[in-house]
Amino acid sequence: MRRLCLFLIGFLSLAISVSCADNYSREDFPPGFVFGAATSAYQVEGAANLDGRSPSIWDNFTHEGNMHGDTGDVSVDEYHKYKEDVQLMAETGLDAYRFSISGPVNPKGLQYYNNLINELVSHGIQPHVTLYHYDHPQALEDEYGGWVDRKMVRDFTAYADVCFREFGDRVSHWSTINEPNIFAFGGYDLGMVPPKRCSPPFGFNCTKGNSSYEPYLAAHHMLLAHGSTARLYRTKYQNKQRGYIGISLYGFWFAPATNSTEDIAAVERAKEFFLGWFAKPIVFGDYPGIMKKVVGSRLPAFTSDESELVKGSIDFLGLIQYTVFYGKDNSTGPEPKYRDYFIDTGYQITPWAMQGLLEYFKLGYGNPPIFIHENGQVTPRNSCLEDKTRVKYLEAYIGAVLDAIRNGSNMKGYFVWSFLDVFELLDGYASSYGLYYVDLNDPELKRQRKLSATWYSEFLKGNLANLDGILELEINISGHTRGVAFS
């Protein structure tokens, strides 16, 4: 992640020192507030060459050696183990499971997602579906370049139509595109993720692309695809299916590297480039003024019809938040026209960053309904099941969400990333975020409960979470709880 964040287009608002809610429980959250966990198709399903599935851009990317030999060919094989996983979700006490749909339309693929959705519903778990998680078919990339071509708007809308038709009677919440701000940056500027398009001096050994304008072009087409899909859902399906449609943005929180006027101003610019890049068209119908000024003709312009299509195109906003980043002015650097701020981070437990982000959207974007679509702590992937730091992380950030609610944020739900240890999109199997450990050397890919899964389950079942103390949960080697004590 540190490499991805180098020169990251990001934002700053001054960090606010706040204390998080303590001594809270599940009952302190509003009625109907949803707690869940999340994964995505390529990261969890496996079965890469079965039942009519064809390669996505992630398949090609990993098989070209870009992830040190790691691939999602098998991953944790949820394609075959979905019933076991849904049972585990029910035992944990999840209200909802967020997952993505991927692959060409074919009978076996439709059957799998129908089976997964039916299994979730039968256990009282809400399916929250992401239509796109960085993984369009490689065939579209080969045919016309994927998101750099406007044809993608048409094809994405047609694909969404099939999903709404086939699954919408049981799916209440749809997210069109996952993290388009990160995807445009990582895939078309730095080239660190597929489709690996970039150019010097910003990219990482790409063979195609142009970092100076393709990120803006791809982002523009993603916004239009989102708007087109939202219009389709609202006009054709929403009245009958009674669901909601939104989009998920990567929501870093930024603080200045120093208290200098230059650093503060730099990250104020950066917040418009990173969050405003997508949020302002979606809420207000156009790109931020500072983007138009700095990017100039490289930034596509909305026609009046396009602006109308995109403006107001969400029923909810998904936010993905992990940590705080620090911004520093770079306006005197060698390329100030393109990179006039510098971003770096560490993975501290900083729940005030969550509160700052939610306050930003409450005050600046009309307080839209918000789901935290991903939040969690990265650790090295190993078999240690007593992940006490993850427990501390989760109780701190969930407490921050509760504080934001008490301060007026229109929060609707929270999803832990991730339900299982999965293939991670930045470093394969080197790290993990999961509530459950999966032994990749075990032919059965056994799921093993971590301390964090036990804590989350106890919280969801109404036990008290105390931020001032240390939660001690004793687990035996098989992962079953022996005792629970809250200090």
Side-chain angles (χ1 to χ4, degrees), residues 219-401:
H220 193 72
H221 293 152
M222 282 187 265
L223 280 164
L224 296 180
H226 162 76
S228 173
T229 299
R231 176 176 288 180
L232 168 73
Y233 183 71
R234 287 172 167 178
T235 57
K236 189 175 180 180
Y237 295 101
Q238 193 169 45
N239 285 341
K240 181 179 179 180
Q241 296 178 354
R242 305 292 183 183
Y244 305 91
I245 193 160
I247 194 169
S248 297
L249 300 183
Y250 208 124
F252 299 105
W253 187 242
F254 287 87
T258 73
N259 289 328
S260 72
T261 302
E262 291 80 9
D263 285 358
I264 292 171
V267 188
E268 284 296 332
R269 294 192 301 273
K271 74 178 178 182
E272 294 289 77
F273 270 81
F274 189 74
L275 286 177
W277 187 9
F278 284 84
K280 286 207 166 172
I282 287 169
V283 175
F284 303 115
D286 202 2
Y287 292 116
I290 190 64
M291 288 192 73
K292 294 181 181 181
K293 179 180 178 181
V294 173
V295 180
S297 62
R298 293 176 291 121
L299 182 69
F302 290 105
T303 66
S304 59
D305 288 343
E306 289 171 348
S307 177
E308 182 181 349
L309 177 72
V310 173
K311 183 180 179 180
S313 56
I314 56 169
D315 300 320
F316 66 86
L317 178 65
L319 291 176
I320 292 163
Q321 215 286 323
Y322 288 96
T323 189
V324 64
F325 285 68
Y326 295 94
K328 186 173 179 59
D329 180 65
N330 192 43
S331 59
T332 59
E335 292 287 345
K337 185 175 181 182
Y338 302 105
R339 299 287 187 275
D340 64 356
Y341 34 82
F342 175 88
I343 301 299
D344 201 2
T345 187
Y347 273 102
Q348 310 99 324
I349 297 178
T350 53
W352 52 266
M354 176 76 81
Q355 289 178 256
L357 179 71
L358 297 175
E359 186 75 3
Y360 169 81
F361 276 98
K362 184 186 79 173
L363 297 178
Y365 290 91
N367 203 15
I370 287 177
F371 288 87
I372 298 299
H373 271 164
E374 293 180 24
N375 176 245
Q377 186 186 59
V378 61
T379 59
R381 188 185 183 101
N382 56 51
S383 59
C384 179
L385 304 181
E386 295 200 32
D387 56 343
K388 292 184 180 180
T389 62
R390 185 171 284 111
V391 172
K392 293 177 182 178
Y393 181 102
L394 292 177
E395 63 183 359
Y397 278 79
I398 293 172
V401 170

